Amino acid sequence: MSITLSSEAGTALDSGLYIVATPIGHLEDITLRAIAVLGQVDIIAAEDTRHSSRLLQKYQINTPLTPYHDHTNPTQRAKIIARLQQGHSVALISDAGTPLISDPGYRLVSEARELGIKVVPVPGACAAIAAICAAGLPSDRFLFEGFLPAKKGARLDALSARIDEIATLVYYESPRRLVDTLRDMIQIFGADRVAVIARELTKLHEQIKTGTLSELVGQVNADDNLRRGECVLLIKGCEVVRGEGLPQDAIAIMQTLIAELPLKQAARLTAQITGEKKNALYSWALSFQNDDEA
Ligand code: SAM
């Protein structure tokens, strides 16, 4: 498929680093602009050149490929930067989705920008965004957390740091670890917290399952398929409780402290002083602040 960008018709692509999103499953989830850019750049830097060559073949793109990964082989980055400095155009792609989103590219992009090299985003598929669009959880605020640590202790610490988070939490997870992760989430967020498993998005066996964390553990245990493929795990944020059940003295202390301190710190100190739950205090403070701003 040969596509020429309307803005670039008859002209070579400007020199620069193009960050190009590729499909996360369905091979047709690629933009016309992405196909044009990949066909016109001087070279494509890819996480796995063999993997990406299948996509390029489908769109009859013959641009040469070079391997790139942030952590292995720093000379690869130096070579790409040198080409950019010579005025060449380079596209960066990852195995799937948007580069830099839990994928290589951060070091290359930051170095290129420090050197004044033009960096151009060519947006498209991203599993986190696809999942939040279809999960049915609040999407006005969400926090992308990427992959949780593989070790249990570090994973529990990472989850604990989000105990009060009111935004929808978005995690990438390997289905192999799904049951362990869901169990850890029950420990931190409680068995009744609503969550969504969005797996194999845009692929043949796409599934989007909603339930409480304990219901989802049961379903994953009972269905081998839920432990296969790729998945995004979304957790509904902590409910904002409007101060129900909080004694007046706790509210009075919170009111005094939030005039001077960040909300989380005020909630922590009030919890220490009164023995009330930090979560409930924090939620009350948020609703208090929102009422004030309205
Ligand atoms: N850069 C990619 C993006 O834009 O989404 C993410 C790359 S990260 C190495 C791979 C993880 O993304 C998988 O382990 C999974 O959590 C998630 N993922 C990628 N493709 C997916 C899909 N089709 N369905 C569900 N999750 C997917």
Side-chain angles (χ1 to χ4, degrees):
M1 182 184 289
S2 169
I3 292 175
T4 309
L5 298 179
S6 52
S7 54
E8 262 95 12
T11 62
L13 208 56
D14 281 348
S15 160
L17 177 61
Y18 293 78
I19 309 302
V20 182
T22 57
I24 56 168
H26 197 305
L27 283 188
E28 290 171 11
D29 286 335
I30 183 163
T31 67
L32 296 177
R33 183 170 172 232
I35 296 170
V37 167
L38 293 175
Q40 285 177 262
V41 285
D42 296 309
I43 195 155
I44 299 172
E47 189 182 0
D48 176 343
T49 53
R50 249 198 352 205
H51 174 94
S52 293
S53 60
R54 287 193 285 277
L55 176 75
L56 299 183
Q57 260 166 28
K58 177 174 168 64
Y59 291 103
Q60 292 155 29
I61 293 167
N62 300 313
T63 308
L65 281 159
T66 187
Y68 178 74
H69 204 284
D70 274 338
H71 299 287
T72 54
N73 201 351
T75 55
Q76 277 303 334
R77 185 160 62 251
K79 278 190 197 159
I80 293 169
I81 291 285
R83 290 197 70 154
L84 288 163
Q85 288 179 313
Q86 286 156 18
H88 292 194
S89 54
V90 178
L92 174 71
I93 58 175
S94 59
D95 285 354
T98 303
L100 280 84
I101 306 301
S102 296
D103 262 341
Y106 162 68
R107 290 180 185 208
L108 181 61
V109 169
S110 65
E111 194 170 327
R113 286 193 51 86
E114 268 169 31
L115 293 167
I117 293 164
K118 183 168 152 186
V119 179
V120 184
V122 183
C126 172
I129 299 298
I132 195 92
C133 293
L137 295 179
S139 56
D140 51 344
R141 285 185 199 184
F142 58 90
L143 181 59
F144 175 63
E145 288 276 274
F147 287 100
L148 281 162
K151 291 204 171 125
K152 189 178 176 71
R155 197 161 62 225
L156 286 170
D157 287 347
L159 292 171
S160 298
R162 299 290 165 248
I163 194 163
D164 294 330
E165 184 52 64
I166 58 165
T168 299
L169 296 165
V170 184
Y171 295 94
Y172 283 164
E173 189 49 285
S174 136
R176 271 184 304 114
R177 278 204 302 257
L178 197 52
V179 170
D180 286 346
T181 299
L182 288 168
R183 288 202 177 118
D184 290 345
M185 286 176 164
I186 288 177
Q187 197 174 321
I188 305 300
F189 302 128
D192 294 333
R193 183 72 74 91
V194 171
V196 173
I197 298 171
R199 65 176 286 276
E200 295 293 86
L201 294 171
T202 78
K203 302 185 199 174
L204 187 62
H205 299 293
E206 179 178 276
Q207 266 183 319
I208 301 176
K209 293 237 167 232
T210 305
T212 63
L213 285 169
S214 64
E215 285 166 351
L216 290 176
V217 172
Q219 290 180 24
V220 175
N221 268 327
D223 181 355
D224 289 350
N225 285 328
L226 286 171
R227 277 173 274 136
R228 296 199 179 103
E230 296 186 285
C231 77
V232 182
L233 192 48
L234 303 100
I235 313 296
K236 193 171 182 194
C238 162
E239 295 287 342
V240 175
V241 185
R242 300 200 147 240
E244 289 117 14
L246 284 178
Q248 270 313 312
D249 62 335
I251 290 180
I253 294 171
M254 265 309 275
Q255 272 171 329
T256 310
L257 292 183
I258 55 179
E260 307 290 334
L261 297 170
L263 291 194
K264 279 194 176 166
Q265 206 180 341
R268 188 165 45 76
L269 289 175
T270 310
Q272 276 171 15
I273 297 164
T274 63
E276 294 300 321
K277 284 210 159 79
K278 188 175 72 173
N279 240 349
L281 290 160
Y282 180 67
S283 300
W284 173 85
L286 280 175
S287 60
F288 175 78
Q289 200 178 47
N290 289 341
D291 287 349
D292 233 28
E293 282 165 5

